[in-house]
Each structure stands twice: as structure tokens, then as C-alpha cells.
Amino acid sequence: MSTFIQILSGFAVVFQPLNFLMTLLGFVIGLFFAIIPGLTATVAIVLLMPMTYSMTMNMGLCMVMGIYMAGMYSGSITAITINIPGAPSSSMTGKDGYPLMQQGLGAKAIGQSAFASLIGGTVGVLLLILVSPIAVKAALLVKTPGKASLVIFAFVSICALDGKAWKKSMLFVIFGMIFSTIGMGILNPTSRFTFGTVSLMEGVDFISVVIGAFAISEVMLQSDLSNREYEEMSARVKDIKIKRRDFIPTKADLKEVGWLTYLKSSIIGFFIGVLPGGGGSLASFVSYAEGKRSSKHPEKYGNGALQGVAAADSANNSVCGGALVPMLAFGIPGDGVTAVVLGVLMVYGIVPGPDIMTRQLQLVSPMYAALLVSALILIPLSLMLFGPYYIKIVQINRIVLYSAIALIAVTGAYAATSSVFQMLTSVIVGVMVYFMRKEKYPPVTLILGAMLGPLFEQYFRRSLSISGNNYAIFLQPDSLAFLVLTLVFVLLLTRVQKKGVTAK
Amino acid sequence: MNLRRFLHRSVLIPLVCMVFLIGYLGVGLSMGPLILPSGLTNENFIPVIISIIGILLCISIMKDSLKEMDDEEPVKEAEPKFGLKQIILFADFFLFIGLYSLVGFIPAAFVFTLIFMVFFDDKVRGLLKKLIISIIITAVVYILYAVVFGVRFN
């Protein structure tokens, strides 16, 4: 059976009533989980895994793909409306989405986010179907030193993006990395910074850091506002008349963002997804950085640029397609969600390997189709059905809203880890980030450090181990390419920022 | 030299971070050599490097902040306060964790939410309404996590 026919048969499977219902159900569950801070698509899939045992393979995989795509998209909703990303991959969306919300353009930001997610998700799946064999070869070219350099590129670019505050951003990256060093060693089974304490042996969970950095610190920052200030903000939102059509991006919006931004961000997202360990957060960071670098108005980024929202969301949804490539071809998950998806595949006895993308395509083609269907129903389902209610969040009684968020957040740390210690960690991180955010330390970089720190350490030390501590290993073509890219990026950004200052 | 300048938040934060990083570096260095006799890097390799970079960054941030203070006219900003309200709310989080371990989720969540609602508000008012809402929030969150998502609480 040709590849094309096998893919088409996947669509036929997805459109069978029960399978389609499961895709929809998964999408709604993913949407719900990603909106609630502390709960992510990963947690949703983990908790729903036992349910998939009683389903057919196609039903289970369709539901999981629905959760995955919705989880990537809907984390942006709370990032835009209340500046608390529902999922780590939506951190960058909040950078511009929340300022847009504050300007009374929340509907536009949510609409743009959904549209970009639709484009990204669709492009990601099409690329997965069309160029996955080539992508597999390209990913194979990036060896361990190259991956270490890619992480350096992510660190440097995101800090450089903060302009004058780059030192604060870098310090937060360092703290994120420090969190990731607590517990068991990366390469050797020895404990680090545990002081003989059993609780510290389990390390600092990434979810705890995210909840502390975004949810708890945000709730506390909101406590600084008096009711009067909040009522003024609510009044501004109250005045906005929201119709479903307000979510649909206008021609002017699409022109402002530019088709190239959607396409470029989707391609960046896909290829970062292909790189093992890349994931949605890195994709949105890099895509946002590239969007700002190539933008005619980089000064708008961080202050409510639609292009920023589009760049971040196109990329993180495109990751869904890309991340499946290493997972299916090598059994290496592209991110946390695909790691759990891999577990679901194992339940059905699917063993990942190069064959699965060629000779056994019929086993996984319903996954491709479900992912594409999920991307294509994002706008009609989430936007047209629930869209008008998202923006209402800020009109809810702030005391009730933030008390509920505080309880959900701190409970979420426990729900994701089953550990009281991780709950405590999230509160401690929340206290720290609360004070640092008052001095304009960007919490996104803390998350970047915590997430990519272990990967960097692993790749960096492995590279040194392979080369016998010869640092020249980082001058290999793949690694050198990322290092040069980092340098070019910093130089270009510095030039752009200088131009901006001169222009002012 | 005016030492009071070091009490300004923009200087105090990197100073506290630097003290923490020095401690972290100390622990890192006490873990043994950075390169093992086998030629492989030790588990303290990256921590030592990042803590040194972090300390340098802290010094630089402090220097920038002090310079900014010298360059700029003292402006009385209406910056958000950190007062009793914030102390109580932070304490409430720790209280929740303590109570959760001692008496379980439902009473801990109820007490946490009630305290949070009372002190998040500008004034102490509408206690009965807040009490009822706390019960509802606790019930909803419990049902959401324990019943719908199957989270096992103590």
C-alpha cells in the first residue's frame, strides 16, 4: 500500500463515529486541562491512560492526539486573559497577549492565538506527513555537541531579547538551572545538593517551578492591586462588546502579522519539535525571538504585538507534528507530552522504530489524521463555542477568582507530583519570583533554565566525555552552525535595539 | 559610602542572590574535583560554572543599580507595597501545606480559601458570604481533582 493511501486510510479511521467522538472528547479534555494552571496535557494523558486500556487502539490514539493539540493551544487562553500560562509552552504568548488584553484587545489576541495554532498545527502535521523522512535525516545530523549549542542559542537569544534587562534574564536562567541540579545527578547516580534529605532527592519538579513562577507569583502580584484598580480594569473589559466574529482575525490583522510569520514560525516549530528534547516551549521561544529579530517593529514585541502572539502559537502547535518524528522513528520523545504518548503506544504494543514511518504507517496514520482534524477544529470548536466566555474571566469577582486559582495552583503542584515537598517548592518559588518580578526579572527565563538546564548539562558533559574534555568538539559543523547563529542573532538584535534607541 | 542604598530592593535582590550563589558554589566545590580521575566531568561541574557566572551577574546588576541611583534624581514611585496583607497570604500557603499534612485536603483547603478570601480583599467584610464561597470552592476543587481526575489526597 502506498504511503498516500495509508495516510488516507488514517482519515477514514478518524471519521468513524466513535473515533471522531474520542478526538472531540480528547480535545475538550485537553482544552480544559491546559486552561487550569498546574494541569497540563501531559497530566491529562497520564490520568486518562488507564481509560485507554478499555478502548480500541484507534480510539485511544485519537483521544490522546486531541488532548495533545488542544493542550498546546489552550494554555494560551489564560496566558492572554490573566497572564498565567496554562501550559509552559504558552509562556511566550502571554508576553504580548496579556498587554493586548490590558489594552482591551483580548478578543483579538485570543482569535490570533487560535488562528496561529490552527496554521501551526496544520502545517506541522502536513510536514510530518510530507517531509518526515527528510526531517529524520536532518535531525540525525545534529549530534550531542550540536544539541548543547542549540540550548545555548535558546538561552542567549531569549536573554538578548530582553535588551537592557538581559543580565536579570540570565540570572533567572541560572536559577532555573540551579533548580534542575537538585536531586540525582544527570550522568552519575549520585545525589547533589540534597544535604542528606530524602525530599530533596526527588529534585525540584518542573511543574512546581512553573506553578510557583507563574501562578503563585501572579496571584500574589494581583494582591498588590486594590479593588478599585481592578474594578477599573474590569470596567474596561465590560465596555468591550464581544461577538464571535471579533475573534476572527481581520484582513488588517493578517497583513500585520504576515503570512511569512505564520509559515516561518510553523516551520521553526516543526524542526525544533523534531529535535529530541526541543518541545513547545523552546519552539515558541526561538520562533518569538526570530519574529522579533525579523520584525519591522521589534519595539512592539512585549507591548502587545499580534505578530508575537502568532509567532509563539504557530510554533508551539507545529511542534505536535515535529515531536512525533523522533518519538516514532527512534523512540525518543520530543517533549513531555510525547513521552507520555509513547507510553500509550507501548500499551498497544507499538514499538517505535524506522519501520513505523514506512512499512507500518497504517498503525500510526490515524494519529496523523487525528492531529490534523484536531488542528482544523480548533477555530470552530474552541473559538466559536467557548471563545466569548474566555474574556469574561477578568470580570469574575477577583477575590473569588484568585482564591480559587491559588487553591487550584497549590493543589495542582500536588496533583502533578503526588508530593507535599513539591507543593512546598512551588510556594517557595512563588515567593522568590514575586519579589523578583517586582524588579522586572522575567519569569519566562527561569522556566527556560529549569527546563533546558538538565538537557544542556547532559549534552554538554556527554560531548566533553566523548572528546576527552576537548572543547574543540563544539566546533563540529552542526554545533558551530548554532554557535554562529547565536552570535549573528546577538549582533543583529543589538544593532536593531541600538537603531531603536537612536530613532527614539 | 551610603550603606542604606544597599537596602533598596533593586540592590538587595541581587545581593541576596549572590549570598545564595556563594553558598551554592561552596557546596558545589565541596563535592570534589570538577574533573574525575577518569577524565570525566564530575556532577559539580555545571553547578560550579553556573554559580560563578551567576555571582558575576549579581555583581554587575548591583553595580548597574547603584549607578542608576547615582545618575537619577530620587523619584518617589507609587510602587506596589509589600505589607501585612502579602505576609498573611504567603503564610496562608504554608499553613495550607502544614494543615494538609496534618488534617487532610478538605479542612486544609477550606481554611486556606477562607483566609485567602478575607485577606485578599481590601477590607475585612462579608464574612458569611466568603465562608459560603470558601465551602463551594473547596467542594468544586475537591470534586475536580479527587473525583474527576482521580488524585489521591491524604
PDB file of all heavy atoms in Angstrom, chain A residues 366-388:
ATOM      1  N   PRO A 366      -3.712   6.961  11.660  1.00  0.00           N
ATOM      2  CA  PRO A 366      -4.848   7.608  12.341  1.00  0.00           C
ATOM      3  C   PRO A 366      -4.397   8.691  13.331  1.00  0.00           C
ATOM      4  O   PRO A 366      -5.106   9.664  13.572  1.00  0.00           O
ATOM      5  CB  PRO A 366      -5.528   6.450  13.087  1.00  0.00           C
ATOM      6  CG  PRO A 366      -5.131   5.235  12.340  1.00  0.00           C
ATOM      7  CD  PRO A 366      -3.752   5.498  11.858  1.00  0.00           C
ATOM      8  N   MET A 367      -3.195   8.524  13.888  1.00  0.00           N
ATOM      9  CA  MET A 367      -2.649   9.557  14.790  1.00  0.00           C
ATOM     10  C   MET A 367      -2.426  10.856  14.025  1.00  0.00           C
ATOM     11  O   MET A 367      -2.775  11.936  14.490  1.00  0.00           O
ATOM     12  CB  MET A 367      -1.302   9.102  15.368  1.00  0.00           C
ATOM     13  CG  MET A 367      -1.391   8.221  16.578  1.00  0.00           C
ATOM     14  SD  MET A 367       0.241   7.639  17.065  1.00  0.00           S
ATOM     15  CE  MET A 367       0.977   9.096  17.737  1.00  0.00           C
ATOM     16  N   TYR A 368      -1.802  10.714  12.838  1.00  0.00           N
ATOM     17  CA  TYR A 368      -1.550  11.897  11.999  1.00  0.00           C
ATOM     18  C   TYR A 368      -2.878  12.577  11.688  1.00  0.00           C
ATOM     19  O   TYR A 368      -3.019  13.792  11.802  1.00  0.00           O
ATOM     20  CB  TYR A 368      -0.903  11.511  10.664  1.00  0.00           C
ATOM     21  CG  TYR A 368       0.457  10.892  10.719  1.00  0.00           C
ATOM     22  CD1 TYR A 368       1.113  10.649  11.921  1.00  0.00           C
ATOM     23  CD2 TYR A 368       1.123  10.566   9.550  1.00  0.00           C
ATOM     24  CE1 TYR A 368       2.365  10.071  11.947  1.00  0.00           C
ATOM     25  CE2 TYR A 368       2.385   9.998   9.556  1.00  0.00           C
ATOM     26  CZ  TYR A 368       3.004   9.742  10.759  1.00  0.00           C
ATOM     27  OH  TYR A 368       4.247   9.177  10.777  1.00  0.00           O
ATOM     28  N   ALA A 369      -3.854  11.745  11.278  1.00  0.00           N
ATOM     29  CA  ALA A 369      -5.148  12.288  10.862  1.00  0.00           C
ATOM     30  C   ALA A 369      -5.858  12.958  12.036  1.00  0.00           C
ATOM     31  O   ALA A 369      -6.416  14.049  11.894  1.00  0.00           O
ATOM     32  CB  ALA A 369      -6.002  11.165  10.279  1.00  0.00           C
ATOM     33  N   ALA A 370      -5.800  12.319  13.215  1.00  0.00           N
ATOM     34  CA  ALA A 370      -6.473  12.884  14.394  1.00  0.00           C
ATOM     35  C   ALA A 370      -5.848  14.221  14.782  1.00  0.00           C
ATOM     36  O   ALA A 370      -6.548  15.161  15.174  1.00  0.00           O
ATOM     37  CB  ALA A 370      -6.389  11.906  15.561  1.00  0.00           C
ATOM     38  N   LEU A 371      -4.535  14.297  14.638  1.00  0.00           N
ATOM     39  CA  LEU A 371      -3.826  15.543  14.958  1.00  0.00           C
ATOM     40  C   LEU A 371      -4.261  16.658  14.005  1.00  0.00           C
ATOM     41  O   LEU A 371      -4.499  17.794  14.425  1.00  0.00           O
ATOM     42  CB  LEU A 371      -2.318  15.293  14.836  1.00  0.00           C
ATOM     43  CG  LEU A 371      -1.381  16.102  15.729  1.00  0.00           C
ATOM     44  CD1 LEU A 371      -1.734  16.007  17.188  1.00  0.00           C
ATOM     45  CD2 LEU A 371       0.064  15.666  15.504  1.00  0.00           C
ATOM     46  N   LEU A 372      -4.378  16.307  12.717  1.00  0.00           N
ATOM     47  CA  LEU A 372      -4.787  17.291  11.715  1.00  0.00           C
ATOM     48  C   LEU A 372      -6.242  17.719  11.944  1.00  0.00           C
ATOM     49  O   LEU A 372      -6.560  18.911  11.895  1.00  0.00           O
ATOM     50  CB  LEU A 372      -4.621  16.709  10.302  1.00  0.00           C
ATOM     51  CG  LEU A 372      -4.799  17.696   9.152  1.00  0.00           C
ATOM     52  CD1 LEU A 372      -3.782  18.822   9.222  1.00  0.00           C
ATOM     53  CD2 LEU A 372      -4.682  16.994   7.809  1.00  0.00           C
ATOM     54  N   VAL A 373      -7.092  16.759  12.227  1.00  0.00           N
ATOM     55  CA  VAL A 373      -8.508  17.076  12.492  1.00  0.00           C
ATOM     56  C   VAL A 373      -8.599  17.964  13.740  1.00  0.00           C
ATOM     57  O   VAL A 373      -9.352  18.942  13.766  1.00  0.00           O
ATOM     58  CB  VAL A 373      -9.330  15.774  12.658  1.00  0.00           C
ATOM     59  CG1 VAL A 373     -10.711  16.059  13.223  1.00  0.00           C
ATOM     60  CG2 VAL A 373      -9.455  15.060  11.316  1.00  0.00           C
ATOM     61  N   SER A 374      -7.800  17.652  14.765  1.00  0.00           N
ATOM     62  CA  SER A 374      -7.804  18.470  15.982  1.00  0.00           C
ATOM     63  C   SER A 374      -7.406  19.909  15.678  1.00  0.00           C
ATOM     64  O   SER A 374      -7.991  20.854  16.209  1.00  0.00           O
ATOM     65  CB  SER A 374      -6.848  17.898  17.023  1.00  0.00           C
ATOM     66  OG  SER A 374      -7.261  16.626  17.399  1.00  0.00           O
ATOM     67  N   ALA A 375      -6.379  20.052  14.823  1.00  0.00           N
ATOM     68  CA  ALA A 375      -5.935  21.408  14.474  1.00  0.00           C
ATOM     69  C   ALA A 375      -7.033  22.143  13.711  1.00  0.00           C
ATOM     70  O   ALA A 375      -7.290  23.321  13.953  1.00  0.00           O
ATOM     71  CB  ALA A 375      -4.665  21.345  13.637  1.00  0.00           C
ATOM     72  N   LEU A 376      -7.691  21.447  12.827  1.00  0.00           N
ATOM     73  CA  LEU A 376      -8.701  22.088  11.986  1.00  0.00           C
ATOM     74  C   LEU A 376     -10.000  22.386  12.718  1.00  0.00           C
ATOM     75  O   LEU A 376     -10.790  23.190  12.244  1.00  0.00           O
ATOM     76  CB  LEU A 376      -8.971  21.235  10.744  1.00  0.00           C
ATOM     77  CG  LEU A 376      -7.856  21.271   9.698  1.00  0.00           C
ATOM     78  CD1 LEU A 376      -8.117  20.245   8.616  1.00  0.00           C
ATOM     79  CD2 LEU A 376      -7.702  22.644   9.080  1.00  0.00           C
ATOM     80  N   ILE A 377     -10.227  21.731  13.879  1.00  0.00           N
ATOM     81  CA  ILE A 377     -11.463  22.052  14.618  1.00  0.00           C
ATOM     82  C   ILE A 377     -11.196  23.051  15.747  1.00  0.00           C
ATOM     83  O   ILE A 377     -12.106  23.390  16.492  1.00  0.00           O
ATOM     84  CB  ILE A 377     -12.177  20.796  15.174  1.00  0.00           C
ATOM     85  CG1 ILE A 377     -11.265  20.029  16.118  1.00  0.00           C
ATOM     86  CG2 ILE A 377     -12.730  19.937  14.061  1.00  0.00           C
ATOM     87  CD1 ILE A 377     -11.973  18.915  16.854  1.00  0.00           C
ATOM     88  N   LEU A 378      -9.944  23.495  15.855  1.00  0.00           N
ATOM     89  CA  LEU A 378      -9.638  24.468  16.920  1.00  0.00           C
ATOM     90  C   LEU A 378     -10.496  25.720  16.812  1.00  0.00           C
ATOM     91  O   LEU A 378     -11.089  26.152  17.796  1.00  0.00           O
ATOM     92  CB  LEU A 378      -8.160  24.890  16.836  1.00  0.00           C
ATOM     93  CG  LEU A 378      -7.139  23.953  17.443  1.00  0.00           C
ATOM     94  CD1 LEU A 378      -5.744  24.466  17.198  1.00  0.00           C
ATOM     95  CD2 LEU A 378      -7.382  23.812  18.937  1.00  0.00           C
ATOM     96  N   ILE A 379     -10.586  26.306  15.628  1.00  0.00           N
ATOM     97  CA  ILE A 379     -11.341  27.553  15.494  1.00  0.00           C
ATOM     98  C   ILE A 379     -12.839  27.313  15.670  1.00  0.00           C
ATOM     99  O   ILE A 379     -13.438  27.924  16.569  1.00  0.00           O
ATOM    100  CB  ILE A 379     -11.010  28.283  14.178  1.00  0.00           C
ATOM    101  CG1 ILE A 379      -9.660  28.951  14.333  1.00  0.00           C
ATOM    102  CG2 ILE A 379     -12.086  29.325  13.829  1.00  0.00           C
ATOM    103  CD1 ILE A 379      -9.223  29.783  13.171  1.00  0.00           C
ATOM    104  N   PRO A 380     -13.454  26.432  14.898  1.00  0.00           N
ATOM    105  CA  PRO A 380     -14.906  26.274  15.077  1.00  0.00           C
ATOM    106  C   PRO A 380     -15.299  25.800  16.478  1.00  0.00           C
ATOM    107  O   PRO A 380     -16.274  26.293  17.037  1.00  0.00           O
ATOM    108  CB  PRO A 380     -15.288  25.231  14.016  1.00  0.00           C
ATOM    109  CG  PRO A 380     -14.033  24.608  13.581  1.00  0.00           C
ATOM    110  CD  PRO A 380     -12.953  25.594  13.816  1.00  0.00           C
ATOM    111  N   LEU A 381     -14.508  24.915  17.076  1.00  0.00           N
ATOM    112  CA  LEU A 381     -14.916  24.379  18.382  1.00  0.00           C
ATOM    113  C   LEU A 381     -14.605  25.341  19.527  1.00  0.00           C
ATOM    114  O   LEU A 381     -15.500  25.870  20.176  1.00  0.00           O
ATOM    115  CB  LEU A 381     -14.264  23.026  18.633  1.00  0.00           C
ATOM    116  CG  LEU A 381     -14.764  22.341  19.893  1.00  0.00           C
ATOM    117  CD1 LEU A 381     -16.116  21.705  19.679  1.00  0.00           C
ATOM    118  CD2 LEU A 381     -13.789  21.301  20.371  1.00  0.00           C
ATOM    119  N   SER A 382     -13.299  25.597  19.728  1.00  0.00           N
ATOM    120  CA  SER A 382     -12.917  26.380  20.908  1.00  0.00           C
ATOM    121  C   SER A 382     -13.301  27.837  20.783  1.00  0.00           C
ATOM    122  O   SER A 382     -13.761  28.441  21.751  1.00  0.00           O
ATOM    123  CB  SER A 382     -11.425  26.249  21.164  1.00  0.00           C
ATOM    124  OG  SER A 382     -10.715  26.904  20.164  1.00  0.00           O
ATOM    125  N   LEU A 383     -13.117  28.402  19.604  1.00  0.00           N
ATOM    126  CA  LEU A 383     -13.375  29.825  19.463  1.00  0.00           C
ATOM    127  C   LEU A 383     -14.860  30.139  19.344  1.00  0.00           C
ATOM    128  O   LEU A 383     -15.374  31.015  20.027  1.00  0.00           O
ATOM    129  CB  LEU A 383     -12.627  30.347  18.231  1.00  0.00           C
ATOM    130  CG  LEU A 383     -12.096  31.756  18.375  1.00  0.00           C
ATOM    131  CD1 LEU A 383     -11.127  31.852  19.517  1.00  0.00           C
ATOM    132  CD2 LEU A 383     -11.467  32.225  17.100  1.00  0.00           C
ATOM    133  N   MET A 384     -15.536  29.419  18.499  1.00  0.00           N
ATOM    134  CA  MET A 384     -16.942  29.744  18.259  1.00  0.00           C
ATOM    135  C   MET A 384     -17.869  29.271  19.388  1.00  0.00           C
ATOM    136  O   MET A 384     -18.859  29.901  19.683  1.00  0.00           O
ATOM    137  CB  MET A 384     -17.417  29.144  16.927  1.00  0.00           C
ATOM    138  CG  MET A 384     -16.741  29.779  15.741  1.00  0.00           C
ATOM    139  SD  MET A 384     -17.021  31.561  15.739  1.00  0.00           S
ATOM    140  CE  MET A 384     -15.460  32.167  15.219  1.00  0.00           C
ATOM    141  N   LEU A 385     -17.477  28.177  20.051  1.00  0.00           N
ATOM    142  CA  LEU A 385     -18.335  27.701  21.142  1.00  0.00           C
ATOM    143  C   LEU A 385     -18.007  28.372  22.473  1.00  0.00           C
ATOM    144  O   LEU A 385     -18.875  28.865  23.163  1.00  0.00           O
ATOM    145  CB  LEU A 385     -18.226  26.184  21.293  1.00  0.00           C
ATOM    146  CG  LEU A 385     -18.877  25.331  20.203  1.00  0.00           C
ATOM    147  CD1 LEU A 385     -18.670  23.860  20.515  1.00  0.00           C
ATOM    148  CD2 LEU A 385     -20.372  25.609  20.091  1.00  0.00           C
ATOM    149  N   PHE A 386     -16.712  28.389  22.808  1.00  0.00           N
ATOM    150  CA  PHE A 386     -16.332  28.886  24.142  1.00  0.00           C
ATOM    151  C   PHE A 386     -15.666  30.256  24.121  1.00  0.00           C
ATOM    152  O   PHE A 386     -15.532  30.890  25.157  1.00  0.00           O
ATOM    153  CB  PHE A 386     -15.380  27.895  24.833  1.00  0.00           C
ATOM    154  CG  PHE A 386     -15.843  26.468  24.797  1.00  0.00           C
ATOM    155  CD1 PHE A 386     -15.112  25.487  24.152  1.00  0.00           C
ATOM    156  CD2 PHE A 386     -17.028  26.118  25.425  1.00  0.00           C
ATOM    157  CE1 PHE A 386     -15.543  24.168  24.116  1.00  0.00           C
ATOM    158  CE2 PHE A 386     -17.468  24.799  25.395  1.00  0.00           C
ATOM    159  CZ  PHE A 386     -16.727  23.821  24.741  1.00  0.00           C
ATOM    160  N   GLY A 387     -15.213  30.676  22.948  1.00  0.00           N
ATOM    161  CA  GLY A 387     -14.447  31.923  22.819  1.00  0.00           C
ATOM    162  C   GLY A 387     -15.010  33.113  23.571  1.00  0.00           C
ATOM    163  O   GLY A 387     -14.298  33.741  24.355  1.00  0.00           O
ATOM    164  N   PRO A 388     -16.293  33.446  23.404  1.00  0.00           N
ATOM    165  CA  PRO A 388     -16.824  34.636  24.076  1.00  0.00           C
ATOM    166  C   PRO A 388     -16.739  34.568  25.600  1.00  0.00           C
ATOM    167  O   PRO A 388     -16.809  35.588  26.271  1.00  0.00           O
ATOM    168  CB  PRO A 388     -18.285  34.662  23.620  1.00  0.00           C
ATOM    169  CG  PRO A 388     -18.304  33.905  22.354  1.00  0.00           C
ATOM    170  CD  PRO A 388     -17.276  32.829  22.509  1.00  0.00           C
TER     171      PRO A 388
END
